[in-house]
Amino acid sequence: MMNHHGSGFWAQMEETIHVWRERMRARRELAQWTDRDLHDIGVSRSDIINETEKPFWRA
């Protein structure tokens, strides 16, 4: 007999880890943007600092 409830747990864990990695990647990329790039999209350097200082598990 196979327990199918566990597979949902692991799928959710996999998705969570994927989201965390994507957050880390995006925040690293944002940290590399120039002030001109940020100005073009209407975001300040302090906004980026606030975002990049968040732990990866926080949205």
Side-chain angles (χ1 to χ4, degrees):
M1 177 175 240
M2 189 171 214
N3 180 352
H4 296 285
H5 298 289
S7 62
F9 169 79
W10 291 113
Q12 187 174 3
M13 285 299 297
E14 186 176 324
E15 177 63 21
T16 298
I17 291 168
H18 173 77
V19 168
W20 287 352
R21 284 184 172 169
E22 181 58 25
R23 251 183 228 152
M24 289 187 317
R25 185 205 60 75
R27 288 174 178 163
R28 276 194 307 266
E29 183 180 324
L30 275 175
Q32 301 299 315
W33 286 22
T34 66
D35 288 334
R36 182 180 176 139
D37 294 333
L38 298 175
H39 181 269
D40 287 347
I41 64 168
V43 177
S44 71
R45 177 63 56 195
S46 63
D47 292 334
I48 297 305
I49 291 169
N50 288 335
E51 186 63 30
T52 58
E53 288 181 347
K54 288 182 188 176
F56 63 88
W57 60 84
R58 284 193 41 218

